[in-house]
């Protein structure tokens, strides 16, 4: 492969990376490489053997590996070049990529543009500071998923899950089907952290106890975990004295959130949003570093893979056009500001010159609300939850209502009057 | 092992036991070291601040205290030792901050006293110099006492390296071997262990937190150590640049000191001693974590809870309640000949090199005959640290062995080649690999690398993956094979 002549390099080949690379190629970039540390493309989709993928994108209910397969085949069709077993170790602000590979050794090259598609990682126990001992048998739900679905091992047979993220709920069902007993799913909030469909299909359908407004206050066991203490929490999420009880278990899974994986982005000088944990992007998914674009869970954690694919296609298209000479301002001239009960909005800036899709999350669960995009658009919603991303199309017809010279749009989630 | 005979038996594979073993390996003498865990330095050596000689050691130097002398005598020995064993060692200096003139006056007194004893490295720095040296330290500090001599190391890696070098020089090392009972004969001891019995002429008791219990087994001494539990938190490397020196605020009352220091790997570590606790209870509590964080914020206000990637409990042993950490045990038994107990209390790592030499001297006083070992090799080669190699070296190494091109730990950039090397040096568990290579010590805390390290361990050790443990014994990581719980597979 001639590395002196790479148009677009995509970092990561999960759903984001594959979609970006395919779209970059389709948009006219000639030499598109996708850099992947594993032996094959597809990222974590291969360990997600459950269904529910592609309902929006393909209008079909696929498993993770099936969803991956479609993109892998398409990538081969359009002649994307995969660089497998290749780990990117550095990206410079001048877009120089450094990587190591067991086949090719030490690699450096400078593509015309880059798409960041590294996805996200799970929060660990350390990040939570759960008190207690430090025995074996505590692992994140995603690591457990890999052991069960790819490596062929079951971590234990009496399982407590802390957090009700999607992977945790899916693993509750998966381990039940494998003959383990999931004794409790413990969630500190008054509502689950993942999708309703997973609460119903993974927990309720299998009669798995869900303890809302509870948390783990202590871990017991010297060598292997033996039990946890679980307590009810008050409105400040602090444990309530006297509500503590011991639950015996041999395994604790953690499903307490995902963090965009942006160590490489930081090395490249990409500015991050402290709320999303991902790059601050414009509507073309451009970052503050010219020629570096980003898409998927590296930008913000999505609920549905379909949206990851769509967002990354936009990044891939932009990277291709940049490689062919197109230029945009690093920041759109209009900033989108989170207002009442809005946690974040992606993209963070827009130009106001083309129609866009806004992805946003609320801070708190609320019923009977109205979402107001400045004074150019509003939408009534029955219920909003932090765990369910909102996706709002903003057509040109609405954007034209913006006042001349406007520099920001405040997005509010307002309570509707009776 | 059913029955074994040795001349010197060392009980305990912490930093002191292994330092003594390595010191004895300079001589032609039959030495056996037993450690109850499957690896070295997993007791009180494991959880501390990684500091080599704290400022207080010098300021409060008392030549009548064994501990003071051993720490002091170790100062010129530690850096060369770390270099011989290829263990990280970095002189970072210490800033003991104070918030008022009264505080400063107190240090002035200590400094003057230290100077009268020939300890002259301390100097006062004013507010502006402190701001320049450490812009993130609390604005309440009006100055600091600076000691440039203070250094940091990796105590567990030092201990593992000492054990490796001792073994290389002929010491018989038995892990997973717990001492259960000791009977004293006329001229030898018979020691019952979990793996069989050992006959030995001499015993060095370096059992750390259990030093008093082991001494009691032999009716050798009648002393007690008080285990004081502390909180240690590791911060993400992304905030590693907040301070460059060890920052210290001296205690208002014993046991209330707090420290923040860089580690040799670029993290920060925060620590607060707590209170008397049940020994071997390494559990942390919510209250400990809160106090630990709050105390660290008193030194560096920008630290937040989200920066903590791991936390755990550590122990320091008080020999004597009034003297706190000042006194220790490094002495032959008063009633049982040829039995020596060694316990520094805190921090063993600062005193280990001189304690090794001291123990050898005490053994000869008890009658051990020593003849130099002409084949003694003081050097140990480091395990490759791929992340530290130059680009050219990386490429060349991968070309030679492509396992170095396979990254298994993305946070700390550790390759399969390094994991295989670590197993070759004696790692048999996930933690054994972690302490030797740092795989699993990064911000994802093993989420990514543990499946990969488990499969490499299983392959290299020739055992099924379900038998791979986190830290030996019953700490298996994966309990069943797929479908085993359904009765489809036995």
């Amino acid at each position: 492969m001639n590395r002196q002549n790479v148009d677009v390099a995509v970092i990561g080949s999960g759903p984001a990376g594959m979609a970006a690379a395919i779209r970059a190629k389709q948009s006219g970039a000639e030499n598109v490489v996708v850099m992947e540390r594993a032996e094959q493309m597809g990222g974590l989709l291969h360990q997600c053997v459950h269904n529910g993928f592609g309902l929006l994108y393909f209008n079909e209910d696929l498993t993770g590996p099936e969803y991956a397969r479609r993109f892998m085949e398409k990538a081969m069709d359009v002649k994307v070049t995969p660089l497998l077993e290749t780990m990117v170790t550095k990206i410079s602000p001048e877009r120089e990529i450094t990587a190591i590979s067991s086949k090719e050794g030490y690699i450096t090259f400078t593509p015309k543009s880059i798409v960041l598609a590294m996805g996200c990682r799970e929060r660990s126990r350390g990040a939570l500071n759960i008190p207690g001992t430090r025995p074996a048998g505590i692992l994140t739900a995603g690591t457990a998923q890999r052991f069960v679905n790819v490596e062929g091992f079951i971590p234990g047979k009496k399982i407590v899950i802390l957090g009700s993220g999607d992977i945790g709920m899916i693993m509750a069902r998966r381990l039940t089907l494998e003959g383990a007993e999931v004794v409790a799913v413990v969630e500190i909030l008054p509502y689950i952290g993942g999708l309703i469909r997973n609460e119903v299909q993974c927990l309720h359908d299998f009669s798995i106890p869900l303890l809302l407004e509870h948390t783990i206050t202590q871990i017991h066991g010297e060598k292997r975990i033996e039990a946890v203490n679980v307590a009810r929490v008050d409105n400040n999420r602090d444990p309530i004295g006297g509500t503590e009880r011991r639950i015996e278990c041999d395994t604790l899974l953690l499903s307490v959130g995902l963090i965009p994986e942006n160590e490489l982005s930081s090395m490249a000088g990409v500015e991050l949003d402290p709320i999303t944990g991902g790059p601050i992007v414009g509507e073309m998914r451009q970052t503050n570093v010219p020629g570096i674009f980003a898409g998927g869970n590296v930008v913000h954690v999505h609920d549905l893979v379909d949206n990851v694919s769509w967002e990354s296609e936009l990044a891939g298209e932009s990277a291709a056009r940049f490689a062919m000479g197109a230029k945009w301002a690093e920041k759109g001239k209009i900033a989108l500001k989170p207002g009442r009960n809005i946690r974040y909005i992606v993209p963070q800036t827009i130009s106001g010159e083309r129609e866009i899709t806004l992805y946003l999350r609320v801070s708190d669960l609320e019923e009977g609300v109205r979402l107001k995009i400045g004074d150019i658009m509003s939408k009534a919603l029955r219920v909003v939850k932090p765990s369910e991303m909102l996706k709002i199309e903003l057509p040109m017809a609405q954007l034209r209502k913006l006042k001349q010279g406007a520099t920001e749009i405040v997005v509010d989630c307002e309570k509707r009057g009776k | 092992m059913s029955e074994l005979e040795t001349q010197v038996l060392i009980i305990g594979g912490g930093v002191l036991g292994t330092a003594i073993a390595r010191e004895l390996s300079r001589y032609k003498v039959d030495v056996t070291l037993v450690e109850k865990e499957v690896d070295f330095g997993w007791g009180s050596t494991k959880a501390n601040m990684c500091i080599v000689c704290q400022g207080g050691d010098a300021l409060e130097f008392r030549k009548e205290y064994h501990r003071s002398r051993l720490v002091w005598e170790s100062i010129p020995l530690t850096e060369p030792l770390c270099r011989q064993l290829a263990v990280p060692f970095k002189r970072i200096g210490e800033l003991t901050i104070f918030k008022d003139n009264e505080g400063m006056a107190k240090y002035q007194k200590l400094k003057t006293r230290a100077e009268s004893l020939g300890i002259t490295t301390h100097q006062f720095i004013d507010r502006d110099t402190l701001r320049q040296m450490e812009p993130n330290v609390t604005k309440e500090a009006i100055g600091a006492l600076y000691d440039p001599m203070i250094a940091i190391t990796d105590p567990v890696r030092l201990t593992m390296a000492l054990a490796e070098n001792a073994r290389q020089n002929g010491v018989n090392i038995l892990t997973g071997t717990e001492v259960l009972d000791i009977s004293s004969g006329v001229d030898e001891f018979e020691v019952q262990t979990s793996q069989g019995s050992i006959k030995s002429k001499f015993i060095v008791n370096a059992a750390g937190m259990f030093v008093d219990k082991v001494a009691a087994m032999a009716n050798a001494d009648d002393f007690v150590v008080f285990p004081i539990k502390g909180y240690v938190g590791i911060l993400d490397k992304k905030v590693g640049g907040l301070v460059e020196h060890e920052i210290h605020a001296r205690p208002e009352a014993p046991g209330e000191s707090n420290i923040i220091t860089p580690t040799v790997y670029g993290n920060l570590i925060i620590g607060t001693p707590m209170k008397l606790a049940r020994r071997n209870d390494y559990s942390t509590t919510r209250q400990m974590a809160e106090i630990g964080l709050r105390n660290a914020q008193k030194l560096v206000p920008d630290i937040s809870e989200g920066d903590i990637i791991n936390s755990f409990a550590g122990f320091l042993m008080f020999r004597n309640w009034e003297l706190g950490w000042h006194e220790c045990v490094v002495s032959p038994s008063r009633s049982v000949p040829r039995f020596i107990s060694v316990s520094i209390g805190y921090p063993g790592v600062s005193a280990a090199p001189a304690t090794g030499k001291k123990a050898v001297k005490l053994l000869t006083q008890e009658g051990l005959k020593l003849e130099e070992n002409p084949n003694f090799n003081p050097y140990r080669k480091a395990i490759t640290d791929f992340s530290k190699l130059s680009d050219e070296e990386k490429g060349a190494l991968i070309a030679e062995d492509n396992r170095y091109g396979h990254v298994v730990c993305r946070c700390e950039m550790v390759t399969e080649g390094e994991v295989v090397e670590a197993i070759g040096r004696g790692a048999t568990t996930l933690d054994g690999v972690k302490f030797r290579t740092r795989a699993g010590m990064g911000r994802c805390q093993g989420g990514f690398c543990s499946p990969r390290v488990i499969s490499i361990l299983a392959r290299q050790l020739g055992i099924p993956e379900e038998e791979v443990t986190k830290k030996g014994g019953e700490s298996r990581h994966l309990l069943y094979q797929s479908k085993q719980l359904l009765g489809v597979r036995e």
Side-chain angles (χ1 to χ4, degrees):
Chain A
M1 167 208 147
N2 178 7
R3 284 187 215 106
Q4 303 323 311
N5 203 18
V6 173
D7 294 304
V8 179
V10 179
I11 318 298
S13 78
M18 292 192 295
I22 293 165
R23 179 56 62 87
K25 192 80 191 178
Q26 289 169 334
S27 308
E30 212 146 285
N31 193 350
V32 177
V33 302
V34 44
M35 309 185 71
E36 168 57 47
R37 62 188 174 210
E39 305 75 28
Q40 59 176 341
M41 290 194 287
L44 294 187
L45 286 169
H46 294 294
Q47 71 182 47
C48 300
V49 302
H50 54 279
N51 62 336
F53 294 83
L55 287 165
L56 306 174
Y57 193 96
F58 291 113
N59 207 14
E60 277 182 71
D61 192 2
L62 305 174
T63 64
E66 286 171 329
Y67 190 86
R69 181 64 50 196
R70 297 212 176 171
F71 281 86
M72 286 160 80
E73 283 168 1
K74 186 80 185 169
M76 290 296 105
D77 280 354
V78 301
K79 299 202 164 40
V80 164
T81 310
L83 283 181
L84 302 176
E85 291 178 67
T86 301
M87 176 109 165
V88 176
T89 58
K90 218 167 19 186
I91 302 174
S92 78
E94 295 73 37
R95 295 195 300 281
E96 186 187 62
I97 295 178
T98 307
I100 58 171
S101 132
S102 45
K103 288 203 190 80
E104 299 197 46
Y106 197 78
I107 306 169
T108 59
F109 67 102
T110 305
K112 293 196 183 95
S113 64
I114 291 176
V115 179
L116 304 171
M118 291 87 74
C120 56
R121 66 161 181 270
E122 296 174 281
R123 282 178 75 196
S124 66
R125 174 193 177 182
L128 295 170
N129 259 321
I130 310 171
T133 52
R134 310 200 56 78
I138 303 171
L139 56 171
T140 58
T143 305
Q145 189 177 46
R146 180 182 162 106
F147 278 125
V148 174
N149 293 343
V150 179
E151 312 273 340
F153 298 101
I154 310 299
K157 67 174 171 188
K158 209 168 166 67
I159 292 159
V160 170
I161 301 178
L162 176 62
S164 57
D166 288 315
I167 312 173
M169 292 194 284
I170 283 158
M171 284 313 291
R173 174 176 66 184
R174 184 77 188 88
L175 285 162
T176 304
L177 291 170
E178 276 286 342
E181 183 195 357
V182 178
V183 284
V185 173
V186 180
E187 170 57 59
I188 197 164
L189 293 174
Y191 42 84
I192 56 155
L195 298 171
I196 289 290
R197 75 175 194 209
N198 285 328
E199 180 180 349
V200 174
Q201 294 170 9
C202 298
L203 303 186
H204 299 340
D205 286 1
F206 291 84
S207 305
I208 293 168
L210 170 63
L211 301 175
L212 295 173
E213 298 185 277
H214 279 73
T215 194
I216 291 179
T217 51
Q218 192 82 15
I219 289 168
H220 301 280
E222 288 301 321
K223 293 285 188 184
R224 176 90 193 182
I225 187 168
E226 287 162 10
V228 292
N229 286 0
V230 170
R232 181 176 281 281
V233 297
D234 61 21
N235 292 338
N236 299 320
R237 301 186 197 174
D238 288 323
I240 302 172
T243 64
E244 212 171 32
R245 67 190 159 102
R246 187 181 161 107
I247 300 183
E248 306 292 321
C249 62
D250 63 15
T251 304
L252 172 64
L253 298 191
L254 306 175
S255 182
V256 288
L258 301 167
I259 305 168
E261 183 96 58
N262 277 293
E263 281 70 36
L264 290 171
S265 321
S266 296
M267 284 185 212
V270 170
E271 200 184 329
L272 303 182
D273 179 333
I275 304 292
T276 59
I280 295 172
V281 291
E283 65 198 357
M284 307 307 290
R285 292 304 180 272
Q286 74 272 37
T287 69
N288 61 308
V289 181
I292 299 187
F293 301 82
N297 284 347
V298 81
V299 178
H300 60 127
V301 176
H302 294 63
D303 321 329
L304 299 172
V305 72
D306 312 70
N307 289 326
V308 166
S309 299
W310 276 318
E311 183 179 49
S312 304
E313 285 173 349
L314 181 53
E317 182 181 333
S318 305
R321 288 173 56 195
F322 184 91
M324 293 183 290
K327 295 277 179 282
W328 301 272
E330 278 85 56
K331 279 191 178 153
K333 56 181 188 283
I334 303 164
L336 292 169
K337 293 272 189 239
R340 183 188 178 278
N341 197 20
I342 299 291
R343 185 163 160 72
Y344 73 74
I345 309 158
V346 169
Q348 283 85 348
T349 66
I350 59 172
S351 67
E353 288 155 16
R354 54 177 73 77
E355 64 172 46
I356 47 159
T357 305
L358 299 182
Y359 295 97
L360 45 96
R361 278 186 200 276
V362 295
S363 301
D364 295 307
L365 184 141
E366 233 176 4
E367 285 179 33
V369 295
R370 181 175 299 281
L371 197 66
K372 287 186 67 186
I373 317 288
D375 46 16
I376 60 174
M377 195 173 148
S378 95
K379 191 173 177 179
L381 295 166
R382 196 177 62 77
V383 59
V384 290
K385 292 177 192 162
S387 56
E388 298 194 359
M389 196 170 76
L390 299 170
K391 189 176 166 185
I392 308 290
E393 311 285 345
L394 203 53
M396 265 330 285
Q398 308 299 328
L399 284 166
R400 279 194 205 95
K401 293 186 194 161
L402 269 176
K403 283 197 194 76
Q404 199 74 31
T407 57
E408 68 170 43
I409 303 175
V410 178
V411 179
D412 290 303
C413 177
E414 285 180 357
K415 197 90 182 139
R416 260 182 293 161
K418 288 268 154 76
Chain B
M1 179 185 90
S2 57
E3 195 164 297
L4 190 133
E5 286 194 28
T6 187
Q7 237 178 321
V8 182
L9 177 69
I10 300 168
I11 300 170
V15 72
L16 296 179
T18 56
I20 295 164
R22 196 254 188 183
E23 204 50 42
L24 278 170
S25 73
R26 293 175 187 274
Y27 306 94
K28 282 196 208 160
V29 56
D30 183 17
V31 181
T32 299
L33 182 150
V34 290
E35 163 56 51
K36 73 174 156 61
E37 300 294 338
V38 298
D39 220 321
F40 309 100
W42 284 5
S44 39
T45 301
K46 185 163 77 170
N48 56 59
M49 302 305 293
C50 311
I51 296 164
V52 181
C53 182
Q54 247 170 272
D57 294 324
L59 285 177
E60 290 174 26
F61 180 83
R62 298 273 193 288
K63 62 178 182 299
E64 62 271 29
Y65 295 154
H66 284 325
R67 182 187 166 281
S68 273
R69 284 208 308 273
L70 290 168
V71 168
W72 200 243
E73 288 163 18
S74 292
I75 289 175
L77 303 175
T78 307
E79 189 171 11
L81 178 68
C82 287
R83 212 175 302 134
Q84 286 176 337
L85 298 176
V87 172
F89 176 95
K90 197 175 170 198
R91 219 172 274 290
I92 55 168
E94 178 191 64
L95 290 165
T96 304
I97 59 168
F98 42 82
K99 298 182 178 176
D100 49 37
N101 290 329
E102 202 184 320
M104 182 168 170
K106 212 160 55 182
Y107 295 122
Q108 184 59 58
K109 226 184 274 172
L110 285 169
K111 180 173 178 279
T112 311
R113 207 191 63 86
E115 279 163 355
S116 73
L117 292 165
I119 300 161
T120 56
T121 53
H122 295 78
Q123 61 196 61
F124 279 104
I125 56 165
D126 62 15
R127 187 196 298 254
D128 290 347
T129 316
L130 177 63
R131 293 281 170 281
Q132 259 168 27
M133 287 170 81
E134 291 292 357
N136 297 310
V137 161
T138 174
K139 303 285 177 274
E140 286 176 31
I142 62 159
L145 187 59
Y146 176 47
D147 181 356
M149 291 304 288
I150 305 308
I152 48 174
T153 184
D154 174 345
V156 177
R157 214 179 265 193
L158 174 61
T159 305
M160 289 173 165
L162 284 164
E164 208 182 302
N165 189 234
R167 181 178 263 161
Q168 193 181 319
N169 285 306
V171 174
N172 179 26
I173 292 184
L174 305 169
T175 54
T177 305
E178 182 175 1
V179 170
L180 306 172
D181 197 15
I182 302 172
S183 50
S184 322
V186 180
D187 51 24
E188 68 176 9
F189 297 97
E190 184 157 352
V191 179
Q192 301 304 325
T193 78
S194 56
Q195 303 296 316
S197 82
I198 302 174
K199 285 195 170 116
S200 181
K201 294 248 178 341
F202 297 86
I203 286 181
V204 178
N205 165 22
M209 207 181 301
F210 296 93
V211 66
D212 52 347
K213 305 273 180 202
V214 169
M217 285 180 195
N219 296 314
D221 270 304
D222 186 18
F223 64 86
V224 184
V225 291
F226 302 97
I228 307 294
K229 186 151 114 176
Y231 169 86
V232 178
I234 309 286
L235 309 188
D236 195 306
K237 282 182 178 174
K238 72 178 186 230
V239 293
L242 279 179
V243 295
E244 286 176 1
H245 300 80
E246 181 225 316
I247 311 294
H248 187 195
R250 303 270 298 160
E252 301 302 317
E256 275 182 15
S257 130
N258 53 87
I259 297 176
I260 173 162
T261 176
T263 70
V264 288
Y265 305 110
N267 303 86
L268 292 182
I269 180 167
I270 60 176
T272 306
M274 297 287 172
K275 54 177 191 222
L276 196 61
R278 190 163 53 85
R279 58 182 95 195
N280 228 19
D281 172 13
Y282 282 96
S283 63
T284 55
T285 62
R286 194 180 156 92
Q287 192 198 14
M288 277 171 77
E290 282 168 3
I291 296 172
L293 178 66
R294 201 162 61 228
N295 280 347
Q297 287 168 336
K298 283 184 200 162
L299 299 174
V300 181
D302 286 352
I303 292 169
S304 68
E305 195 181 356
D307 298 329
I308 300 172
I309 61 168
N310 201 348
S311 59
F312 39 82
F315 277 94
L316 53 96
M317 264 71 68
F318 279 15
R319 166 70 183 88
N320 175 311
W321 197 248
E322 284 73 44
L323 292 171
W325 46 270
H326 289 301
E327 196 43 300
C328 66
V329 187
V330 182
S331 54
S333 161
R334 273 179 237 136
S335 49
V336 179
R338 306 180 318 285
F339 188 100
I340 293 165
S341 287
V342 175
S343 164
I344 291 297
Y346 172 82
V349 65
S350 295
T355 306
K357 293 192 186 300
K358 174 81 177 178
V360 171
K361 199 166 146 201
L362 293 174
L363 283 167
T364 57
Q365 285 168 3
E366 291 291 299
L368 179 66
K369 298 275 174 288
L370 293 175
E371 192 188 322
E372 244 174 68
N373 169 9
N375 299 323
F376 175 71
N377 174 7
Y379 296 101
R380 165 201 172 257
K381 200 171 158 273
I383 293 173
T384 308
D385 186 346
F386 188 84
S387 67
K388 295 263 159 56
L389 299 179
S390 72
D391 297 354
E392 293 73 29
E393 290 169 325
K394 282 179 179 150
L397 188 57
I398 298 169
E400 197 181 300
D401 182 344
N402 67 9
R403 289 179 298 188
Y404 290 94
H406 179 210
V407 175
V408 294
C409 167
R410 61 180 169 190
C411 304
E412 296 291 319
M413 192 60 68
V414 181
T415 65
E416 180 179 354
E418 292 159 86
V419 174
V420 170
E421 273 188 65
I423 297 167
R425 304 290 184 100
T428 56
T429 61
L430 277 169
D431 280 0
V433 169
K434 178 171 88 175
F435 282 109
R436 284 176 180 81
T437 66
R438 296 190 56 73
M441 280 196 180
R443 54 177 68 88
C444 92
Q445 290 289 305
F448 180 80
C449 69
S450 60
R452 289 156 181 85
V453 175
I454 286 173
S455 82
I456 298 169
L457 273 165
R459 185 189 72 206
Q460 296 298 115
L461 300 173
I463 56 172
E465 267 131 320
E466 312 96 275
E467 281 175 26
V468 173
T469 65
K470 179 180 187 322
K471 48 184 174 182
E474 290 307 304
S475 68
R476 289 193 299 132
H477 202 72
L478 300 165
L479 299 183
Y480 307 99
Q481 285 187 18
S482 182
K483 308 290 176 275
Q484 197 177 348
L485 294 176
L486 299 171
V488 179
R489 190 188 253 170
E490 279 306 301

